[in-house]
Amino acid sequence: MSEKRLLDIDPVANISSPLAPRGCKEDGGRRTYTVDVAIDKLGFGPLQWRVTAVGGILWAADGVESTILAIVAPEARCVFNVSPWAEALLTTMVFTGMLLGAAPWGRVADLYGRKVAITLSTIMVIYFGILSGFAPSYIWLLVLRAIFGFGLAGLPQSVTYFMEMVPTKSRSTCSAFLQFVYSLGMIAAAGMSIGVMAALNWRYLLAFSVAGYVLVLPLMFTVPESPHYFITRGKVASALASLTVIAKGNRKELPSGHLVQRCNADMQHMDGRDGDIAIPPHARRSTVRDLFRPLSGLVTTLLLWLIWFLTSFTYFGILLMTTELLEMYHSVEGADSHCMKILPADKANSCHHLTSKDYTDVLWTTLAELPAILICYGLNKLLPRRPTIVIHGLCASVLGAMLIICPLSRAGTVGLIFAMRSFLSSLFITMYLYTSEAYPTSLRATGLGAAYTWGRVGGIATPFIAQVMLRRTIRGAKLFYALTSLVIAIAGALLPRETKGRSMDDHWD
């Protein structure tokens, strides 16, 4: 490889306008193209289907884990005879691990590649997921699930990888697909719990829940690293090699001309034959501080953190609250119990193992993930991203308020939770899509990791509403989630940037 050349650029410089042309030219009339242009030209082909398999399986496995959280916590409380506060700690420890792992995994993905982060985190999840089933005490269960959560924090990098590998016009469809497989994972976990909890116990359920992750490891060897990652690291030859693999996989030709990092006349380029571009350390490394530059980045980042926090808080709160409410139909007589301002202490702290009917109702509420796919796909196809976020928040808020109706039958409770989960689930995948589009390539994994971190903070806090406060004031807990949904809608309306249809920039505008 020949001597590396220095590329003196501003690390937050604009690489292209939102309506970037499908190619660009340097001085002298030589035709050039960017990674975005190449991927759009190569289209969605066989290689993207392999990438889709990786993202799909990981997302389905993540859906399994979301349902397992709601099922194992109340069961472990009865088995180990612990208080509702201790029960809430089980979910909190998983999300604490996710919180601690989100930023480090984002940095690994930005510095060493998307594939490295995804593979290492998958191995960690498999190992500690199985080990959790052998926990000899509740303390050990908490520790092992926290480490498991740390590994789980790296898997959202598969969204970054997925979105960087598919054409711009396919992103909305791909986001709906991720929602679909996530839903299948949640439904599979709910269905699996009916059989496993009846014939075996929660320990086997934890071990079986990591099966999907095992399938991903061999697939990681069949897909290339993201060319977006290589180009922002100054490794143009490696980016060209990845694009060549994609072109061969799709049986198409790359655009004519030279691959460049951005479409600027003063930008040096390499065509992969002469070597890579060596860029200075300040241009190579992104930090969390870069998320706040310029002013539009500051506003976008703060609002995204708020929305991620509240979306995770509300979604997982409703998920955890489902099994708690179903258990309370055993603890307190009749639907009127859900209208009590304060539950009696003996009823609030009672413990009842969930029955087959309870697991069946969990399955019914989990089926709400399927209409969420249509909601996500339809709204993101028809509307810009920001109005889509607002509509999700408003609908979830109205449905949450309706849960306060008294008396409310068991069927009514299940039905409203079904509808509310549909919108919250669709909102979750919309936020992954918007966040991936809002940040430039140089900050995308770090930005998604930081936003995901705030989502985990929401997950840490919500068990104390859904599993502790709920046992003191049921109506108060329900109202709390209705209000958080309303705040999501307001924050979505304040987002400064619309991302639908934009090219995936490599640096901030």
Side-chain angles (χ1 to χ4, degrees):
M1 186 173 292
S2 65
E3 181 180 356
K4 296 183 178 182
R5 292 183 284 173
L6 182 66
L7 181 61
D8 187 13
I9 62 171
D10 183 349
V12 294
N14 179 32
I15 67 159
S16 61
S17 69
L19 299 176
R22 311 316 296 164
C24 47
K25 295 197 176 200
E26 293 186 339
D27 289 340
R30 291 175 297 178
R31 186 167 183 78
T32 62
Y33 62 92
T34 63
V35 169
D36 249 349
V37 171
I39 289 179
D40 284 351
K41 182 179 184 296
L42 295 175
F44 197 101
L47 192 284
Q48 276 72 27
W49 281 115
R50 293 204 296 271
V51 173
T52 299
V54 171
I57 293 174
L58 285 176
W59 219 235
D62 194 49
V64 169
E65 293 304 327
S66 297
T67 300
I68 295 299
L69 283 175
I71 293 174
V72 169
E75 188 68 18
R77 179 167 68 91
C78 292
V79 170
F80 290 105
N81 193 26
V82 296
S83 68
W85 281 92
E87 176 192 1
L89 277 177
L90 181 58
T91 301
T92 294
M93 292 302 287
V94 175
F95 281 108
T96 299
M98 293 180 179
L99 171 65
L100 296 176
W105 284 120
R107 295 293 292 147
V108 170
D110 279 339
L111 293 176
Y112 302 106
R114 313 321 191 199
K115 285 182 60 179
V116 172
I118 295 169
T119 301
L120 292 179
S121 60
T122 299
I123 293 172
M124 192 173 184
V125 164
I126 294 170
Y127 182 77
F128 286 99
I130 294 175
L131 208 58
S132 296
F134 294 93
S137 66
Y138 196 71
I139 295 297
W140 267 109
L141 181 61
L142 293 177
V143 171
L144 291 172
R145 295 308 282 176
I147 301 174
F148 172 86
F150 186 94
L152 206 62
L155 298 182
Q157 297 306 327
S158 62
V159 178
T160 299
Y161 178 69
F162 193 21
M163 292 302 170
E164 290 179 348
M165 295 289 282
V166 300
T168 303
K169 65 180 181 180
S170 299
R171 289 183 209 155
S172 292
T173 302
C174 290
S175 68
F177 170 78
L178 289 179
Q179 179 63 53
F180 175 69
V181 294
Y182 183 87
S183 302
L184 290 183
M186 298 192 78
I187 293 168
M192 181 172 62
S193 67
I194 297 175
V196 173
M197 296 301 290
L200 300 169
N201 57 48
W202 61 272
R203 295 180 184 273
Y204 288 91
L205 191 63
L206 286 179
F208 293 159
S209 69
V210 301
Y213 299 109
V214 177
L215 299 176
V216 168
L217 292 179
L219 285 175
M220 293 304 298
F221 294 98
T222 69
V223 293
E225 180 57 83
S226 167
H228 275 285
Y229 159 73
F230 282 130
I231 204 74
T232 55
R233 299 292 293 168
K235 299 181 178 180
V236 182
S238 297
L240 183 60
S242 284
L243 289 172
T244 301
V245 172
I246 296 173
K248 289 181 178 178
N250 291 357
R251 297 180 178 85
K252 291 187 177 181
E253 296 292 331
L254 285 170
S256 60
H258 301 284
L259 176 64
V260 295
Q261 193 175 35
R262 59 174 179 165
C263 290
N264 272 0
D266 61 348
M267 175 65 66
Q268 296 181 16
H269 77 274
M270 299 291 289
D271 61 7
R273 295 172 297 179
D274 299 324
D276 295 336
I277 296 173
I279 57 179
H282 73 275
R284 297 172 67 111
R285 300 186 180 94
S286 60
T287 66
V288 174
R289 286 180 297 179
D290 294 325
L291 300 177
F292 302 103
R293 307 167 187 162
L295 179 61
S296 60
L298 170 65
V299 176
T300 297
T301 295
L302 292 179
L303 285 173
L304 282 178
W305 286 2
L306 175 62
I307 296 172
W308 271 86
F309 172 84
L310 293 177
T311 300
S312 182
F313 182 92
T314 309
Y315 176 82
F316 286 105
I318 295 298
L319 186 67
L320 295 172
M321 191 168 67
T322 301
T323 50
E324 298 296 326
L325 290 175
L326 293 176
E327 184 189 343
M328 286 182 181
Y329 279 106
H330 300 297
S331 307
V332 191
E333 293 298 329
D336 288 338
S337 64
H338 287 239
C339 301
M340 293 181 179
K341 293 183 178 179
I342 301 294
L343 285 179
D346 60 328
K347 302 297 184 182
N349 296 317
S350 62
C351 178
H352 295 265
H353 292 277
L354 296 178
T355 65
S356 295
K357 178 176 175 54
D358 294 326
Y359 290 122
T360 300
D361 282 341
V362 170
L363 176 59
W364 279 115
T365 58
T366 305
L367 289 173
E369 304 292 328
L370 291 179
I373 301 167
L374 298 177
I375 295 171
C376 179
Y377 181 79
L379 290 179
N380 279 291
K381 273 289 187 182
L382 295 173
L383 300 174
R385 307 289 188 232
R386 288 179 296 183
T388 298
I389 295 171
V390 172
I391 290 173
H392 279 101
L394 289 176
C395 290
S397 180
V398 171
L399 292 166
M402 291 176 66
L403 277 171
I404 305 173
I405 296 173
C406 290
L408 187 62
S409 67
R410 180 181 178 120
T413 298
V414 170
L416 286 173
I417 290 176
F418 177 98
M420 191 174 182
R421 275 189 60 174
S422 293
F423 282 98
L424 290 171
S425 179
S426 178
L427 174 61
F428 235 131
I429 200 65
T430 299
M431 289 310 303
Y432 272 104
L433 178 61
Y434 182 91
T435 306
S436 295
E437 293 175 335
Y439 286 112
T441 302
S442 59
L443 292 171
R444 191 166 297 125
T446 299
L448 181 60
Y452 182 82
T453 296
W454 281 99
R456 299 315 96 184
V457 174
I460 289 171
T462 200
F464 297 99
I465 302 297
Q467 294 175 320
V468 178
M469 179 181 177
L470 184 74
R471 291 183 172 273
R472 295 299 179 185
T473 168
I474 298 177
R475 297 182 72 186
K478 293 176 179 178
L479 179 61
F480 203 99
Y481 289 120
L483 293 176
T484 57
S485 298
L486 180 60
V487 176
I488 289 172
I490 296 172
L494 296 176
L495 285 168
R497 182 179 184 181
E498 180 53 57
T499 64
K500 185 176 180 179
R502 296 176 63 101
S503 62
M504 300 189 82
D505 296 343
D506 282 350
H507 300 283
W508 280 119
D509 290 339

